Amino acid sequence: MDFFRSIPVWIAAFAAVFVTGGRDATAPQRPVEPDSLSLSVHVHVVASGLNVPWEMVWGPDNWIWYTEQSGSISRLNPKTGEKQLLVKIDEVYRHRSLGLLGMALHPDFPRKPYVYVDYTCKKDSAITTKLVRFTYRQNRLADPLTMLEIPAHTGHNGSRIVISPDRKLMFATGDAVTITNAQNTGSLNGKVLRMNLDGSIPADNPIKESLVWSWGHRNIQGLAYGRNGILYSSEHGDAVEDELNIIRKGRNYGWPKVEGFCDQPYEKAFCDSLRITEPVKAWTPTIAPAGIAVYEGRLFPEWKGAILLTTLKEADLRVLKTDAKGESIVSESIPLDASYGRLRAVCVAPDGSIYVSTSNRDWNPGSGFPKPEDDRILRITRGTQADLLARKAQSQAVTDNVSNGARLYRQYCASCHKPDGKGVAGTFPTLHGTQQVKDKDQFVQIMLNGLSGKITVQGEEFDQHMPAMGFLPDESIAEIGTYVRQSFNQDLDPVSVSDVAKMRIK
């Protein structure tokens, strides 16, 4: 993952509706519905003490089947909370965002008792992603069969799995931190792959004798089928333009040449020369979208056909309503916001209740997390007026008395440098008393242009990618810079708009 990403912030309720300058002024986005606080929900903890339940699938036995990033696959009785371990996969390599990730059950389960999962492995220095089929019998998963193994990296491994209506296995892979992979159709990274349920290549794939179904993806985190057989995906952008896409046969989604819509001069030339498919929605500031599901239940009839989306950075559950064809987003609302930490996976029960899992024991937890009961699986049902009033009060308390610099910092920076600016030892540097912050010109230049490669901060070496924030207007860069220099440091003068303008032209 990257700087400025993928962790809940305590002003998530405001972050969902706040729009700053830069790319937002041109991207065709719709705001969060003004009445997004008008529908109350009730949340009940079904399971606790888990280790990053990365994927959840509603099983034909009416239990929730879930993976844990540490390598376990289990079943959960949602009525009693009983948990049953099915297998612990010893070869899973758990590191940062790596581990045991996606899962899907065979559509003829239990007649064909196959469970498909993917996870990362490491042999010597080589990291790979494996797609493996297990067989379920006598309350255990056994006989692992490796169907595919591809290169992986310390991040950007994608890894959602779904079964299509025509019974094909769809497998989303990330670019494995190698941006040339996404546009290279000879690579299986940065793609949505399509295969028969035995792992063979379908004859009607767009590229002969290739598993590639679509390409130009950075890091898909959610995959779900909806109305009219439409396949939706949620995808992490870099510093801008997280995406919701409709995945179509043989389409190019642009990464790394295009982020979000074809709305920048340097993107338009590429879009004009190739058939680039734009997202149906994009988010700047980024929200770190995760799991998705399409709602067809009866408990929330107003959400019929809507896409349910969990987020990591904003720690919320979003409802994206579509048009009748399911091809465009007409509204966005947030019924559950910033209460339980990072949210990773979502599934819908036959009775219409919604289940989401938290992701607070992963590599980059938010401030105040993990809590002793983390990680958890939560059931969401229709709430009462008391639930609604409590939620509105919480939302108001979160957004009161926050400066614009603080809001921008928490939207773009707190996910890595943390709300208190102290970073994460060995991963993300502190902003307290560092030479890079004290030197105003250097600090502004870093914000504008980003950083790649090794950097030493207060004697500690870091090696992470920080995206450039030059897409933000000078006023926003100045407000972030001033907030950092005066909130996390002493006796440092503010950053002015002219300071930013001076460094932007260098």
Side-chain angles (χ1 to χ4, degrees):
M1 303 297 291
D2 310 312
F3 274 34
F4 301 97
R5 295 202 48 80
S6 304
I7 188 171
V9 296
W10 59 270
I11 60 154
F14 188 85
V17 298
F18 179 79
V19 177
T20 186
R23 297 182 69 121
D24 305 87
T26 57
Q29 300 182 73
R30 295 177 183 269
V32 174
E33 287 183 317
D35 63 342
S36 62
L37 292 177
S38 63
L39 177 61
S40 64
V41 297
H42 181 75
V43 180
H44 174 72
V45 177
V46 179
S48 59
L50 306 179
N51 194 337
V52 188
W54 208 92
E55 181 64 283
M56 295 188 299
V57 176
W58 191 270
D61 53 0
N62 285 320
W63 287 44
I64 295 172
W65 295 53
Y66 64 94
T67 65
E68 290 178 88
Q69 196 175 353
S70 51
S72 298
I73 305 174
S74 302
R75 297 165 65 230
L76 168 69
N77 185 327
K79 293 183 178 180
T80 67
E82 176 189 353
K83 292 176 282 189
Q84 183 180 91
L85 177 67
L86 302 178
V87 68
K88 177 69 169 68
I89 307 172
D90 293 332
E91 69 171 343
V92 166
Y93 175 54
R94 168 78 181 276
H95 174 69
R96 292 162 56 92
S97 62
L98 283 65
L100 174 57
L101 306 176
M103 177 176 62
L105 275 59
H106 194 285
D108 291 333
F109 201 96
R111 187 172 64 86
K112 293 186 177 180
Y114 301 132
V115 177
Y116 304 90
V117 296
D118 73 89
Y119 53 85
T120 49
C121 301
K122 185 177 183 181
K123 184 176 181 180
D124 299 325
S125 60
I127 304 174
T128 60
T129 289
K130 280 188 177 183
L131 177 65
V132 179
R133 189 191 77 185
F134 283 85
T135 300
Y136 176 69
R137 58 174 177 268
Q138 298 179 342
N139 295 326
R140 297 291 293 176
L141 289 176
D143 302 329
L145 173 66
T146 299
M147 301 174 63
L148 181 69
E149 188 168 10
I150 63 174
H153 206 277
T154 53
H156 297 199
N157 293 302
S159 300
R160 289 287 179 184
I161 308 170
V162 295
I163 307 298
S164 67
D166 63 350
R167 299 190 172 211
K168 298 293 188 287
L169 188 148
M170 312 299 291
F171 179 33
T173 69
D175 68 7
V177 199
T178 305
I179 58 175
T180 54
N181 282 337
Q183 289 297 317
N184 176 10
T185 55
S187 166
L188 297 183
N189 294 100
K191 310 294 189 295
V192 173
L193 307 179
R194 178 176 181 258
M195 66 186 72
N196 296 315
L197 295 180
D198 62 2
S200 61
I201 300 172
D204 59 344
N205 271 9
I207 301 174
K208 187 177 181 179
E209 297 183 356
S210 171
L211 294 172
V212 173
W213 184 253
S214 66
W215 58 94
H217 300 292
R218 182 176 182 268
N219 193 21
I220 290 176
Q221 293 290 292
L223 207 59
Y225 276 94
R227 292 179 174 178
N228 304 318
I230 293 175
L231 179 59
Y232 299 101
S233 75
S234 62
E235 183 167 348
H236 284 180
D238 196 4
V240 296
E241 306 286 26
D242 285 340
E243 298 179 356
L244 181 77
N245 285 296
I246 293 177
I247 302 299
R248 302 189 190 277
K249 178 180 181 178
R251 296 292 184 88
N252 185 343
Y253 291 80
W255 174 257
K257 299 294 186 179
V258 180
E259 296 183 78
F261 299 95
C262 295
D263 56 5
Q264 302 298 308
Y266 58 87
E267 296 175 331
K268 290 177 179 178
F270 186 77
C271 293
D272 289 342
S273 64
L274 295 173
R275 187 185 181 189
I276 300 301
T277 299
E278 294 183 299
V280 292
K281 184 166 182 61
W283 291 269
T284 298
T286 55
I287 61 173
I292 59 177
V294 176
Y295 190 80
E296 295 293 352
R298 292 178 294 180
L299 193 59
F300 298 95
E302 55 273 83
W303 295 350
K304 194 82 169 178
I307 299 163
L308 307 179
L309 169 70
T310 57
T311 72
L312 300 167
K313 178 181 174 182
E314 297 302 327
D316 58 30
L317 173 68
R318 300 186 175 213
V319 178
L320 308 174
K321 293 182 182 179
T322 68
D323 64 4
K325 294 182 178 179
E327 294 182 349
S328 65
I329 304 301
V330 299
S331 67
E332 177 183 13
S333 60
I334 301 175
L336 179 65
D337 192 14
S339 301
Y340 296 91
R342 291 156 65 87
L343 301 182
R344 174 70 66 175
V346 56
C347 72
V348 180
D351 67 1
S353 57
I354 299 164
Y355 291 81
V356 298
S357 66
T358 69
S359 190
N360 296 319
R361 293 193 181 276
D362 62 18
W363 70 288
N364 198 8
S367 179
F369 292 95
K371 297 184 181 300
E373 60 269 30
D374 280 323
D375 271 312
R376 293 172 279 182
I377 292 176
L378 313 171
R379 179 193 295 122
I380 299 172
T381 56
R382 210 167 184 91
T384 64
Q385 185 67 16
D387 293 318
L388 177 61
L389 293 174
R391 182 165 170 261
K392 285 185 174 181
Q394 179 191 43
S395 178
Q396 186 61 44
V398 160
T399 57
D400 284 347
N401 302 318
V402 179
S403 71
N404 202 40
R407 291 170 181 146
L408 289 167
Y409 172 82
R410 286 171 173 83
Q411 287 176 319
Y412 289 101
C413 315
S415 57
C416 294
H417 294 291
K418 304 304 177 187
D420 61 6
K422 294 182 179 179
V424 178
T427 306
F428 301 123
T430 180
L431 299 175
H432 290 256
T434 68
Q435 183 58 39
Q436 289 85 353
V437 173
K438 291 178 179 178
D439 185 329
K440 186 191 295 185
D441 286 351
Q442 182 183 14
F443 183 41
V444 172
Q445 188 175 58
I446 289 172
M447 287 191 290
L448 287 170
N449 302 319
L451 280 176
S452 290
K454 295 181 179 179
I455 181 175
T456 301
V457 178
Q458 294 185 340
E460 186 176 6
E461 187 175 271
F462 298 86
D463 189 8
Q464 293 290 323
H465 168 65
M466 172 178 152
M469 298 202 304
F471 60 89
L472 290 174
D474 292 353
E475 292 82 357
S476 297
I477 296 289
E479 287 173 318
I480 294 171
T482 297
Y483 176 77
V484 170
R485 284 169 59 87
Q486 297 192 335
S487 296
F488 304 146
N489 298 272
Q490 294 181 346
D491 303 323
L492 296 182
D493 60 321
V495 176
S496 68
V497 172
S498 60
D499 291 331
V500 180
K502 177 184 70 175
M503 298 309 298
R504 194 184 285 276
I505 63 176
K506 281 194 175 183

